[in-house]
Amino acid sequence: MVRRETFINKIRELGYHYKSQQAHTQLWKKSGTTGRMFVPLAKLLEDDYVTGALRQSGESDAAIKTFLAAAKA
């Protein structure tokens, strides 16, 4: 499980910015593209969700594994 705040800091580094909020998620949009990411409002995010979201944003598998290890430490 990864803290939501840690994940949001990571996607901000990747160029995403907050767009809007729905009932259970927030919409984040990547600047200059049509890339969008829905982030749940839960305090802890599943590793599978984090891995999939970062993979879709263009991160390498090695960078994702490094982020997950650092986020859990």
Side-chain angles (χ1 to χ4, degrees), residues 17-22 25-29 37-39:
H17 63 277
Y18 174 79
K19 192 71 173 167
S20 65
Q21 183 169 328
Q22 291 80 32
T25 59
Q26 285 183 338
L27 174 63
W28 289 75
K29 186 176 181 301
M37 187 179 303
F38 291 94
V39 180

Side-chain angles (χ1 to χ4, degrees), residues 4-73:
R4 184 174 177 277
E5 294 82 16
T6 306
F7 179 69
I8 287 177
N9 288 338
K10 177 64 175 175
I11 63 174
R12 280 186 174 143
E13 290 175 12
L14 297 174
Y16 285 83
H17 63 277
Y18 174 79
K19 192 71 173 167
S20 65
Q21 183 169 328
Q22 291 80 32
H24 300 283
T25 59
Q26 285 183 338
L27 174 63
W28 289 75
K29 186 176 181 301
K30 190 166 186 173
S31 300
T33 68
T34 58
R36 289 179 173 77
M37 187 179 303
F38 291 94
V39 180
L41 294 178
K43 290 183 181 181
L44 295 173
L45 303 175
E46 295 287 336
D47 291 348
D48 292 339
Y49 167 78
V50 171
T51 301
L54 291 177
R55 189 173 287 139
Q56 285 184 341
S57 69
E59 282 290 284
S60 67
D61 287 337
I64 293 170
K65 288 180 183 177
T66 303
F67 170 73
L68 287 174
K72 293 180 180 184

